[in-house]
């Protein structure tokens, strides 16, 4: 056991080097200074978890391994601090992570995109551990930063972390989708959780010329970060950037299970075949999956490698639990795949059409997409410029 082999200052130096390697550029001095002024380990619990590279998590326990706990606190990786539905005596006993300390390079990237300046009023959505609010407060001052968190326990813990370092942003326990109207308008709204739709309150509470920076999520793909600028006509408009994969804001998390909610005995699907491989649409290409998320709203997928009906099956369903599709690989040939579809939406037809559209458009990357959001939250996604809305582009 024993003390860490590197001092906290040395660990921060190493972290800054790793962040610069990820960003491909130096960390701006103002944010490097904030990282030095705000010790990340002060915002982590005695037990947290990091990905093990095999789909699971590795525990870092301060009591049993203080060196590993401290060293990992200053690596460029997210640290899970809470799991959903976990019993009090087993914080990792839940099914999914529900709170984390974000990856430092992603935190810095979002701050660079936000460009918070002295005199700006900032609203942070998702206090979490309080680390990001601490960086903002160290940069701008306590009176300029408001942060909101829906979880009472996380709110209390974050407040304790901030108090310990004599940092005093306004910390509120409330639903983040509602913003914080008493402090509006804000020059910047920064979300540390992803959204499937931009809450109208965020648009309404942003000052003209101000920005909203939020990670993006769709039923198909949790990826991308959207930066919007509030316009004089009360709309917000901006582009996506190819980074960011965050937990979805709690008010927009659907609770849909394929076996429990969708599949029923007596359902008679229509059957066909396709030449589009299921791996082409759900094989991990982030550009493909981002496009499908924007153009097939509510559609999500799950792989089943153990079905009796096929060697491997791609399930597709929708968040209303009314439609599903199954695309089967027989384990022998990959030129055609069996398709079954049920419900009012022919989900595979929609996905195949969207995939062919993405291909016909030249396989655009995430950075070519943007969105205009009306004051009521109605979104219009577009490609390259607002004059090319996705629903108006050819769908072959």
């Amino acid at each position: 056991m024993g003390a860490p082999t590197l001092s906290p200052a040395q660990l921060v130096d190493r972290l800054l080097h790793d962040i610069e390697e990820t960003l491909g550029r130096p960390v701006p001095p103002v944010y490097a200074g904030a990282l030095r002024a705000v010790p990340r380990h002060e915002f982590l619990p005695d037990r947290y978890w990091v990905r093990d590279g095999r789909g699971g998590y590795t525990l870092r326990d301060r009591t049993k391994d203080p060196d590993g706990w401290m060293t990992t606190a200053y690596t460029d990786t997210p640290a899970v601090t809470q799991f959903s539905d976990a019993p009090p005596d087993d914080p990792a006993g839940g099914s999914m992570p529900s709170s984390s300390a974000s990856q430092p390079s992603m935190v810095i990237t979002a701050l660079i995109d936000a460009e918070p300046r002295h005199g700006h009023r900032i609203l942070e959505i998702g206090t979490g551990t309080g680390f990001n609010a601490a960086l903002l407060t160290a940069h701008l001052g306590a009176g300029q930063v408001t942060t909101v968190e829906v979880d009472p326990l996380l709110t209390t813990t974050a407040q304790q972390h901030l108090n310990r370092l004599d940092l005093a942003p306004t910390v509120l326990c409330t639903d983040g989708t509602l913003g914080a109207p008493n402090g509006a308008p804000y020059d910047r709204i920064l979300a540390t959780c992803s959204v499937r739709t931009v809450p109208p309150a965020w648009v309404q509470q942003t000052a003209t010329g101000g920005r909203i920076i939020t990670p993006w999520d769709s039923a198909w793909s949790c990826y991308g970060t959207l930066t919007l600028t509030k316009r004089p006509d009360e709309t917000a408009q901006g582009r996506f950037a190819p980074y960011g994969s965050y937990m979805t804001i709690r008010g927009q998390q659907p609770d849909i299970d394929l076996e429990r909610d969708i599949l029923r005995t007596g359902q008679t699907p229509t059957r066909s075949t396709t030449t589009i491989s299921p791996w082409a649409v759900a094989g991990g290409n982030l550009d493909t999956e981002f496009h499908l998320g924007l153009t097939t709203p509510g559609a999500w997928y799950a792989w089943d490698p153990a079905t009796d009906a096929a060697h491997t099956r791609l399930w597709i369903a929708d968040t209303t639990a009314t439609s599903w599709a199954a695309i089967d690989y027989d384990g022998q040939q990959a030129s055609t795949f069996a398709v079954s579809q049920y419900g009012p939406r022919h989900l595979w037809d929609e996905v195949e059409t969207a995939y062919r559209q993405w291909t016909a458009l030249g396989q655009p990357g995430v950075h070519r997409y943007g969105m205009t959001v009306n004051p009521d939250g109605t979104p219009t996604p577009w490609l390259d410029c607002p004059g090319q809305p996705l629903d108006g582009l050819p769908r072959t």
Side-chain angles (χ1 to χ4, degrees):
M1 304 300 178
T5 56
L6 297 177
S7 69
Q10 290 172 318
L11 289 170
V12 173
D13 285 341
R14 191 179 68 177
L15 175 60
L16 282 166
H17 176 269
D18 292 344
I19 292 173
E20 289 177 350
E21 288 287 307
T22 299
L23 299 183
R25 54 178 166 169
V27 175
V30 64
Y31 303 130
L35 283 172
R36 295 186 190 282
V38 180
R40 189 177 187 234
H41 72 274
E42 294 284 359
F43 293 84
L44 293 176
D46 288 343
R47 302 174 78 217
Y48 63 84
W49 292 260
V50 293
R51 289 193 178 277
D52 61 10
R54 301 184 299 274
Y57 294 89
T58 297
L59 172 66
R60 289 288 179 257
D61 190 315
R62 188 175 195 170
T63 302
K64 296 180 179 178
D65 181 13
D67 189 6
W69 182 93
M70 187 68 152
T71 300
T72 306
Y74 289 92
T75 57
D76 189 26
T77 186
V80 176
T81 59
Q82 183 188 77
F83 286 78
S84 63
D85 305 321
D89 59 344
D90 182 14
S95 55
M96 292 289 290
S98 56
S99 184
S100 69
S102 301
Q103 184 175 350
S105 60
M106 297 299 98
V107 171
I108 296 302
T109 301
L111 288 175
I112 291 172
D113 286 350
E115 292 186 298
R117 301 170 186 169
H118 287 286
H120 278 174
R121 294 180 57 77
I122 309 296
L123 173 61
E124 179 195 37
I125 308 296
T127 309
T129 66
F131 179 65
N132 197 57
L135 293 176
L136 289 165
T137 302
H139 174 32
L140 301 172
Q144 305 305 116
V145 180
T146 299
T147 179
V148 301
E149 172 60 55
V150 70
D151 187 311
L153 177 60
L154 291 178
T155 304
T156 299
T157 303
Q159 186 72 75
Q160 293 169 348
H161 292 160
L162 292 160
N163 290 345
R164 191 161 56 235
L165 295 178
D166 293 324
L167 296 169
T170 299
V171 181
L172 304 175
C173 185
T174 187
D175 181 352
T177 63
L178 303 178
N182 289 344
Y186 300 97
D187 300 287
R188 301 288 187 267
I189 294 182
L190 284 75
T192 64
C193 46
S194 62
V195 297
R196 294 190 172 183
T197 58
V198 177
W202 296 6
V203 179
Q204 295 159 9
Q205 292 173 26
T206 301
T208 300
R211 296 182 192 172
I212 300 168
I213 298 90
T214 179
W216 188 253
D217 184 38
S218 69
W220 197 269
S221 171
C222 182
Y223 184 64
T225 296
L226 177 62
T227 298
L228 300 167
T229 299
K230 178 75 170 287
R231 290 148 47 96
D233 64 2
E234 298 299 313
T235 64
Q237 187 169 280
R239 290 184 174 275
F240 289 95
Y243 74 90
S245 180
Y246 289 72
M247 287 171 279
T248 309
I249 196 168
R250 293 195 190 180
Q252 296 183 8
Q253 293 175 356
D255 180 21
I256 301 293
D257 180 80
L258 189 70
E259 297 288 343
R260 183 193 68 201
D261 302 317
I262 299 174
L263 300 179
R264 297 285 185 270
T265 58
Q267 293 174 335
T268 304
T270 59
R271 302 186 187 278
S272 60
T273 61
T274 182
T275 58
I276 300 295
S277 166
W279 285 276
V281 300
N285 185 312
L286 295 175
D287 291 333
T288 310
E289 296 190 19
F290 181 83
H291 179 86
L292 294 178
L294 287 180
T295 52
T296 56
W300 55 273
Y301 71 86
W303 287 99
D304 185 354
T307 177
D308 294 334
H311 178 281
T312 304
R313 170 172 287 180
L314 176 68
W315 285 106
I316 302 174
D318 67 1
T319 51
T320 64
T322 59
S323 302
W324 59 263
I327 301 85
D328 291 341
Y329 167 59
D330 63 11
Q332 299 177 6
Q333 57 81 36
S335 58
T336 61
F337 304 86
V339 176
S340 302
Q341 300 184 87
Y342 177 83
R345 294 180 67 178
H346 289 185
L347 286 171
W348 175 252
D349 293 348
E350 291 185 31
V351 169
E352 181 173 331
T353 297
Y355 174 76
R356 292 186 185 280
Q357 179 193 45
W358 178 74
T359 301
L361 291 172
Q363 302 183 356
V366 173
H367 65 282
R368 290 180 57 190
Y369 295 83
M371 182 172 284
T372 303
V373 182
N374 288 337
D376 65 359
T378 303
T380 301
W382 39 265
L383 183 69
D384 293 328
C385 67
Q388 295 189 120
L390 284 179
D391 61 5
L393 295 174
R395 296 174 67 88
T396 57

